[in-house]
Amino acid sequence: HDTWIDNMISQVHEQVKEEGYEYASFSFSISFPLASLVRERALVAVLDTEFKSGHDVPLVKEVLKWMTSPRMQKHLGVHFAMNSPFQILIAVEHSEDKELCSKLMEKCPKHFAPSGRRAKATAAQVNITSVVKAMQAASDEDMTSWFTCPMPAPPNAAILASVACQHSSIYIAGRYCKYSRELSQTPWIIDGQRKTELSVQEIICDCLQAEAHASGLRFCSSGREDVDVRMLGRGRPFCAELVGPKQSVISQERLTELQEAINAGSEIVKVRDLQMMDKHGIEKMKEGETDKVKHYSALVYIAAGVASVDLSPLSSTKELRVMQRTPIRVLHRRTLMDRERTIHSMSTEPVDDHHFRLLLSTQAGTYIKEFVHGDLGRTSPNLCSILNECLDITELDVMAVELDWPPAITPEDNVG
């Protein structure tokens, strides 16, 4: 049996090398042959019946892990750790599986019966769940009457059916600025058709995903701006979750090089403060999602003309509470509800005869466009109702997101 274990470990080692993962520790799990589970349950039945001690015997699966772990460490050259982010999934099968499971299914058919809407058209379910349920339902007397207990040794050994590797996600945080009014934050696809050629996510994350050799990507940020809204100032905090990375550690020096490459390759998106972050650090980005303050600059059109309207009431208005019903423009993808938000402060600057610059500090989650034009009365009060004038917004920029995350590491003169 030592030879079988050594052969299995050698095969596992070869597969892990072929997968090309980088790792500093490992954990592993073994999916045992169903026949071995039936054999084990039958043996426990005998020990319980004869000696009342069957449940004191350690599981074969656990014994195999105890025997395998130190040898696996030697082959892989790193230590075993229960909470390692790198996991090896080993599946072992045996030619007896079908025979023993068929007998168990014959004796306990209800535990193998398919369920759900298509149950009548579905074959019986033979898997570890159904086998375990059937054995749990069977008494010791049942097991000793259904099977020869203890069973004779099988004529051949189990085989290694598959080896799969997986690594926990890694996280890269940073801030981005967006200088285009024709760029979505994430890929914008409707009915299979792209609405924008690129996205912020793709400009930033394609090279990060390639660097980590990750199988997938999830992009999240502290809020999001519309396609036609720029993100200025120090940028918006974001996080790229790289799923299934084969390279799990990227040095800060390399991240700085990637940051420079992203900035050199794009005029419409710039990044700063790229850094590795653990999952707990990412959670800080979501804390106070609606409590943080955001600063905006809006170019507002006024039909009556700037000179004919007194804008001073706006500058003197502080902590204005507004009620916003889900805007018409996002109603197709957002829940219909009323949200109370706070406009902390406002100030104005004339631009030309019919335009003025509106500078706002607001609670996160405020719909700025709707606050200006009122959205057919769905936002109240709004700028139109406050000034009793016909207004519309022609441009909007996010100037700052007040969130001290991630830690600043890029000098101000090195961005872009």
Side-chain angles (χ1 to χ4, degrees):
H1 297 92
D2 280 351
T3 301
W4 183 89
I5 292 175
D6 287 337
N7 287 338
M8 180 194 74
I9 291 174
S10 294
Q11 292 179 62
V12 169
H13 186 204
E14 288 302 315
Q15 185 65 36
V16 171
K17 283 200 301 183
E18 188 175 320
E19 292 281 346
Y21 281 87
E22 174 191 272
Y23 51 93
S25 64
F26 75 96
S27 65
F28 70 98
S29 64
I30 299 178
S31 174
F32 231 48
L34 299 179
S36 296
L37 301 179
V38 178
R39 282 176 164 272
E40 183 174 54
R41 176 67 181 89
L43 178 60
V44 168
V46 172
L47 294 174
D48 264 347
T49 302
E50 299 294 332
F51 306 106
K52 309 298 181 186
S53 61
H55 294 288
D56 296 332
V57 178
L59 297 176
V60 175
K61 181 177 179 178
E62 296 305 316
V63 173
L64 180 60
K65 289 189 75 171
W66 298 339
M67 296 174 67
T68 303
S69 294
R71 303 184 195 191
M72 194 91 81
Q73 287 184 142
K74 184 177 179 181
H75 272 76
L76 298 179
V78 295
H79 70 280
F80 171 83
M82 288 293 293
N83 60 348
S84 173
F86 179 63
Q87 188 175 25
I88 305 169
L89 311 174
I90 302 169
V92 181
E93 295 178 353
H94 197 279
S95 57
E96 272 193 324
D97 285 353
K98 184 176 180 181
E99 177 188 348
L100 294 184
C101 290
S102 295
K103 191 166 187 180
L104 193 62
M105 184 167 59
E106 176 188 330
K107 299 297 183 180
C108 303
K110 70 176 183 178
H111 297 291
F112 295 86
S115 58
R117 295 168 57 187
R118 300 183 180 179
K120 292 183 178 179
T122 306
Q125 304 293 310
V126 180
N127 51 46
I128 188 169
T129 301
S130 57
V131 169
V132 169
K133 284 183 177 179
M135 292 191 301
Q136 288 174 340
S139 65
D140 290 345
E141 291 74 14
D142 289 334
M143 293 299 294
T144 54
S145 65
W146 297 342
F147 300 97
T148 302
C149 300
M151 296 183 191
N156 47 27
I159 61 169
L160 181 64
S162 66
V163 178
C165 302
Q166 62 183 30
H167 197 290
S168 300
S169 296
I170 61 172
Y171 302 87
I172 297 177
R175 283 177 174 261
Y176 74 81
C177 289
K178 173 192 149 193
Y179 301 113
S180 170
R181 298 194 189 277
E182 298 179 344
L183 186 67
S184 59
Q185 188 193 65
T186 55
W188 186 14
I189 303 171
I190 299 177
D191 296 330
Q193 298 294 317
R194 288 199 68 130
K195 297 300 181 180
T196 56
E197 183 179 350
L198 278 174
S199 66
V200 173
Q201 172 186 310
E202 291 163 307
I203 292 172
I204 296 173
C205 297
D206 280 359
C207 70
L208 300 181
Q209 185 172 354
E211 180 72 17
H213 302 284
S215 60
L217 167 77
R218 298 188 187 99
F219 184 86
C220 59
S221 62
S222 179
R224 62 187 300 151
E225 67 285 331
D226 291 338
V227 171
D228 60 350
V229 175
R230 296 186 301 179
M231 179 66 238
L232 306 178
R234 295 185 63 247
R236 185 183 299 277
F238 74 89
C239 163
E241 178 186 355
L242 301 174
V243 181
K246 291 189 174 181
Q247 182 176 341
S248 57
V249 177
I250 304 176
S251 69
Q252 187 57 55
E253 180 181 4
R254 179 57 181 154
L255 283 172
T256 300
E257 292 174 355
L258 291 171
Q259 176 175 296
E260 291 171 352
I262 292 168
N263 291 340
S266 173
E267 293 298 321
I268 55 178
V269 171
K270 303 293 182 182
V271 294
R272 59 176 298 130
D273 302 331
L274 276 190
Q275 57 196 277
M276 295 284 291
M277 187 72 65
D278 61 26
K279 191 171 185 178
H280 298 296
I282 299 305
E283 291 170 357
K284 293 181 181 179
M285 185 178 70
K286 295 298 182 182
E287 291 176 1
E289 188 68 28
T290 60
D291 296 329
K292 58 181 175 285
V293 176
K294 294 186 177 181
H295 302 273
Y296 298 89
S297 173
L299 185 62
V300 180
Y301 171 81
I302 181 165
V306 174
S308 63
V309 178
D310 180 13
L311 300 178
S312 61
L314 301 183
S315 299
S316 61
T317 300
K318 307 294 182 184
E319 304 304 319
L320 174 66
R321 293 191 175 187
V322 300
M323 190 62 69
Q324 296 195 299
R325 180 160 294 180
T326 304
I328 294 172
R329 64 187 173 89
V330 300
L331 195 53
H332 64 287
R333 56 185 171 88
R334 295 282 176 88
T335 303
L336 176 61
M337 62 182 294
D338 293 330
R339 302 169 178 84
E340 185 180 77
R341 293 292 185 261
T342 301
I343 309 297
H344 298 298
S345 64
M346 293 181 281
S347 63
T348 61
E349 300 172 358
V351 174
D352 58 35
D353 290 348
H354 287 278
H355 294 87
F356 66 90
R357 180 73 59 186
L358 175 67
L359 305 176
L360 313 91
S361 295
T362 76
Q363 180 183 356
T366 304
Y367 291 107
I368 304 300
K369 294 176 180 177
E370 284 67 26
F371 172 67
V372 173
H373 58 61
D375 198 25
L376 301 178
R378 298 168 72 88
T379 290
S380 180
N382 56 69
L383 221 56
C384 292
S385 65
I386 293 171
L387 296 177
N388 196 27
E389 294 289 343
C390 181
L391 307 172
D392 203 357
I393 185 168
T394 60
E395 289 181 357
L396 179 63
D397 295 324
V398 185
M399 304 304 294
V401 177
E402 285 193 10
L403 182 64
D404 189 20
W405 185 95
I409 59 175
T410 305
E412 293 297 331
D413 55 357
N414 285 357
V415 179

